[in-house]
Amino acid sequence: MKKNLFNLSALLITLVFVVSGCKKDEDKPAPVVSPGREIVSFRIVNPAVTAVIDTVAKTITATVPNGTAINGLVTEISLAAGHSINPASGASQDFTNPVTYTVKRPDNTTTSWTVKVIFPDVVVEDDITQSVTWTADRVYTINSDISISNSSVLTIQPGTIIRFGAYGSLTIGYGSNATVNAVGTADKPIIFTSSALLPTAGAWNGLYFYDKTLSNSILSYCKILYAGKDSYDGALNLLGCDITMTNCTIENSGSYGILTTYSDNKGGFVTYDNNTINKTAKYAIQLHANKISKIGTGNVFTETQGIHITGDFKSTEAETWKNPGVPYIITEELDVDGSLTLTAGSVFKFGADASMEMGYSQSTSFVAEGTATAPITFTSSAASPAAGAWQGIVLWDNVSSNSKMNYCIIEYAGSSSYDGALTVKEPVSFTFTNNIIRKSSSYGITLEYNAGFQAFSGNTISECSNHLITISVKHLPELGSSNILTPSSNKGIFLSGDVKYADPVTWKKQTADFYVSDEIDIDGILTIEPGCKFLFDNDGFFWFGYSQNTKITAVGTSDKKITFTSSSASPVAGTWKGLRFDQYVQTNSSFDYCTFQYTGFSGKPALFTETSFNVSNTTVSDFTGNAAEYQSGTTAPAGTGNNFTWTAGSY
């Protein structure tokens, strides 16, 4: 049979006197008696208690039995010779609140002492099955697991101290409903700590809130110190329930700061603001993705690994993940479905098998909006990361066109040789501006045929083992200006697919070259900017105007020629097929200041056309066969300044 909640053994009451100051009644100096001799003894008559006098701290401490009525205690005070005290010895006194006593010395100076009566420690040995209040005038000691259940409410007053033995813990709402109302103040926090004389991290178990904990439970201005004894648990554990936590401190945990498990959309916080987590052996918080948005403002995390995100995010409401000042840690695939905004300055660190995948199963608006001085960073969690340390970011087909990445950094990704640091599935089209992708062991960005950009400008992509971007020519015009693309040797922007442009488009000059490995059919109105360079594999070539009216304007300048050449690291004549212009190419097309090199593969010329259009100031070099041919029976193209002549022939 369990004992009563509180140990009802005799408790001692402590009376505390504090010197507040002194004054002289006369100007004439007089000998001063040592303050340590002013009060010789201080006793409570009934119950009989002798106080302990601290002459250095100017305090007096005593102890009385629990349950003593302290509103009418009679004192017995002994003073040094020549001293007097007020209130006088023998008077009945109410010690419900601190009482000031004034001692008058022989020299007529006075000292003020504050007397406080408190109750001693309470050893909590029984589970709490009815509502109770723990008060600040007592220290509570817990040496085992104490459960709160049966719809009980544990209320803890400001300033209360609860000490835990090595196997001590509080379990709330495990089998039936329970509530904890622990609301301290800034100057009177509630303290949950170890009972050890010199505690270290993990000296006791922790606080456990289970699924029957009611959501009106609150921890405010509380300190949870030296908990986390079990390496699998936290100093604070929220197991399928939500609570409010504000202005609290968790410090010196031997494991997690806060550990949560997710069930029925619970396992986190109603509110989480202005809290501090310091010095944890493991993550500051382990929290499900659906609860991350509840991490509010004013929180401080120091000497801790960060916030570990578990599970997948799926929401029908727009949510924001704030920048907590420490990294979010992701150790497996994180699926994001719904409307999610990431805040400037946030850092996401990924384990080797981890990725962030958006819009796989439902319509998803993904906005990662950093700033120039506070970018959003997606990086590796490795201590010394290398390229390919994690998988990357994937935008699936349900990502909406209002999605955006601006001032973001993606680094050390690309562990899959088939995907990029950023992979975009069709038919996604989103905004990608002012971002940095670097140190990918694969591609920088891979886009499926029908995937592209609402905007693509101001981006920097470098240090990728494969091509910086793979993109279909359908979406190539969406690559804007002011991009700094620095490829590895023989890599650049890889082009694929055929296209029929409905509107006039421009292929803009980029700081990386364009690579082609297969036949690409192009119809529509196309302008190629000066300085563009295209590199072709053996079977790579452009076929213009095969199925609809097509106008090609490839006009370079004398110092910014448009170049069509081989992609071989050591090219020789006859390495690729050249360009073909079919019957739908319009006569107002134009090639000017263009350069062709290393053509003649399969006997094909650098240029073969079935229609006549202007080709001027163009050179063909290092070729086999004919430099340029036009379809027999048609008119040879016009133009001046070329280094070759046209030859009639057939493709």
Side-chain angles (χ1 to χ4, degrees):
M1 184 174 181
K2 292 185 175 180
K3 299 178 182 179
N4 292 329
L5 175 63
F6 301 118
N7 189 337
L8 299 180
S9 61
L11 304 175
L12 298 178
I13 291 185
T14 301
L15 303 177
V16 181
F17 295 84
V18 180
V19 178
S20 64
C22 59
K23 63 181 180 178
K24 290 188 176 183
D25 293 336
E26 299 177 359
D27 294 332
K28 183 179 179 180
V32 178
V33 178
S34 168
R37 295 173 53 198
E38 292 176 356
I39 302 176
V40 176
S41 68
F42 194 106
R43 296 181 65 254
I44 302 296
V45 175
N46 186 19
V49 172
T50 299
V52 177
I53 302 173
D54 185 339
T55 60
V56 176
K58 299 298 186 286
T59 62
I60 298 175
T61 305
T63 309
V64 298
N66 210 3
T68 299
I70 61 174
N71 59 348
L73 297 177
V74 177
T75 63
E76 184 180 275
I77 306 170
S78 296
L79 301 172
H83 291 66
S84 62
I85 191 168
N86 182 43
S89 176
S92 176
Q93 187 63 47
D94 184 356
F95 288 103
T96 303
N97 295 306
V99 177
T100 299
Y101 278 74
T102 302
V103 175
K104 188 175 182 181
R105 296 167 171 165
D107 62 357
N108 291 324
T109 60
T110 60
T111 56
S112 295
W113 301 70
T114 301
V115 180
K116 183 181 179 183
V117 175
I118 62 172
F119 291 96
D121 291 7
V122 175
V123 178
V124 182
E125 296 181 318
D126 293 326
D127 292 338
I128 298 173
T129 57
Q130 59 183 6
S131 296
V132 65
T133 297
W134 290 355
T135 57
D137 56 0
R138 304 175 185 182
V139 174
Y140 297 82
T141 299
I142 297 175
N143 293 313
S144 61
D145 179 45
I146 297 299
S147 177
I148 306 171
S149 59
N150 196 38
S151 297
S152 301
V153 178
L154 171 61
T155 301
I156 307 177
Q157 289 184 345
T160 302
I161 298 174
I162 303 99
R163 300 186 187 276
F164 293 82
Y167 298 99
S169 60
L170 271 180
T171 294
I172 301 97
Y174 176 73
S176 59
N177 292 346
T179 301
V180 168
N181 185 2
V183 180
T185 65
D187 57 343
K188 293 182 179 180
I190 296 168
I191 299 176
F192 301 88
T193 189
S194 167
S195 60
L197 182 62
L198 296 173
T200 57
W204 60 286
N205 286 325
L207 308 181
Y208 295 80
F209 291 81
Y210 281 88
D211 58 327
K212 298 298 184 181
T213 300
L214 299 185
S215 59
N216 62 344
S217 291
I218 182 171
L219 299 176
S220 184
Y221 287 105
C222 295
K223 293 184 177 182
I224 305 172
L225 311 176
Y226 302 107
K229 182 181 181 66
D230 190 326
S231 62
Y232 296 100
D233 297 337
L236 173 64
N237 301 273
L238 306 177
L239 310 173
C241 67
D242 293 339
I243 70 168
T244 293
M245 187 172 182
T246 60
N247 301 292
C248 291
T249 296
I250 295 176
E251 191 167 76
N252 287 309
S253 171
S255 184
Y256 302 93
I258 301 174
L259 178 71
T260 71
T261 59
Y262 184 76
S263 177
D264 295 330
N265 200 33
K266 292 182 179 180
F269 308 101
V270 177
T271 302
Y272 185 89
D273 291 324
N274 302 311
N275 300 295
T276 296
I277 298 182
N278 180 39
K279 298 180 181 178
T280 63
K282 293 187 176 181
Y283 302 114
I285 304 175
Q286 181 167 290
L287 190 62
H288 193 277
N290 282 344
K291 309 299 285 186
I292 294 292
S293 63
K294 294 299 184 180
I295 296 179
T297 60
N299 300 299
V300 176
F301 300 89
T302 55
E303 297 188 50
T304 186
Q305 297 180 33
I307 298 171
H308 183 210
I309 300 177
T310 63
D312 298 321
F313 173 85
K314 192 167 187 177
S315 177
T316 57
E317 298 180 357
E319 296 190 17
T320 297
W321 290 359
K322 301 173 186 65
N323 174 15
V326 291
Y328 291 109
I329 310 296
I330 299 167
T331 55
E332 58 188 1
E333 178 182 317
L334 169 60
D335 294 341
V336 174
D337 290 283
S339 180
L340 178 63
T341 297
L342 307 183
T343 306
S346 298
V347 176
F348 295 82
K349 290 188 174 183
F350 295 81
D353 298 323
S355 62
M356 183 177 270
E357 312 216 0
M358 319 294 179
Y360 182 80
S361 63
Q362 71 179 46
S363 179
T364 296
S365 173
F366 173 66
V367 176
E369 186 75 66
T371 67
T373 57
I376 298 171
T377 301
F378 304 88
T379 188
S380 166
S381 61
S384 299
W390 62 288
Q391 293 184 11
I393 298 173
V394 182
L395 305 186
W396 287 91
D397 55 323
N398 289 304
V399 171
S400 61
S401 60
N402 64 347
S403 295
K404 174 192 298 187
M405 296 184 74
N406 186 38
Y407 287 109
C408 295
I409 298 172
I410 306 173
E411 60 185 9
Y412 301 112
S415 61
S416 170
S417 61
Y418 300 101
D419 296 326
L422 174 65
T423 299
V424 186
K425 305 291 187 178
E426 57 188 12
V428 174
S429 178
F430 75 115
T431 297
F432 193 81
T433 52
N434 304 303
N435 300 300
I436 295 173
I437 296 179
R438 59 195 178 201
K439 301 182 186 301
S440 170
S441 64
S442 183
Y443 301 93
I445 303 175
T446 61
L447 300 102
E448 291 187 344
Y449 174 75
N450 283 314
F453 301 101
Q454 297 288 315
F456 184 95
S457 62
N459 300 298
T460 298
I461 307 178
S462 64
E463 301 175 88
C464 298
S465 298
N466 214 319
H467 291 292
L468 302 178
I469 304 173
T470 67
I471 190 170
S472 69
V473 292
K474 177 180 179 179
H475 292 280
L476 179 57
E478 296 162 8
L479 297 186
S481 58
S482 303
N483 301 299
I484 302 174
L485 308 177
T486 307
S488 300
S489 178
N490 298 316
K491 303 297 179 183
I493 302 169
F494 184 81
L495 306 181
S496 63
D498 303 325
V499 67
K500 295 179 180 179
Y501 292 122
D503 299 306
V505 297
T506 298
W507 290 356
K508 300 174 186 65
K509 169 70 172 70
Q510 303 294 333
T511 59
D513 301 329
F514 301 98
Y515 283 74
V516 180
S517 65
D518 204 348
E519 174 187 331
I520 294 179
D521 298 343
I522 301 167
D523 295 283
I525 301 175
L526 170 63
T527 297
I528 302 175
E529 284 190 344
C532 287
K533 186 176 182 179
F534 301 87
L535 298 96
F536 297 83
D537 289 354
N538 291 156
D539 293 323
F541 68 101
F542 290 150
W543 190 324
F544 295 106
Y546 176 78
S547 61
Q548 70 180 44
N549 289 340
T550 298
K551 177 186 176 183
I552 306 298
T553 303
V555 177
T557 65
S558 60
D559 60 343
K560 292 183 179 180
K561 294 183 178 181
I562 299 172
T563 300
F564 303 88
T565 188
S566 169
S567 63
S568 173
S570 301
V572 295
T575 306
W576 67 287
K577 291 182 177 180
L579 306 185
R580 177 169 181 177
F581 302 89
D582 215 317
Q583 60 181 323
Y584 289 105
V585 172
Q586 303 299 292
T587 58
N588 60 349
S589 296
S590 178
F591 271 60
D592 199 359
Y593 285 107
C594 294
T595 296
F596 291 82
Q597 299 172 315
Y598 307 111
T599 56
F601 186 76
S602 295
K604 305 303 181 183
L607 298 98
F608 182 91
T609 181
E610 296 185 19
T611 61
S612 179
F613 58 92
N614 184 276
V615 178
S616 297
N617 302 304
T618 293
T619 61
V620 180
S621 62
D622 298 303
F623 60 94
T624 61
N626 292 325
E629 297 180 5
Y630 63 94
Q631 182 68 42
S632 297
T634 62
T635 303
T640 61
N642 302 314
N643 77 333
F644 61 88
T645 57
W646 290 92
T647 301
S650 62
Y651 201 78

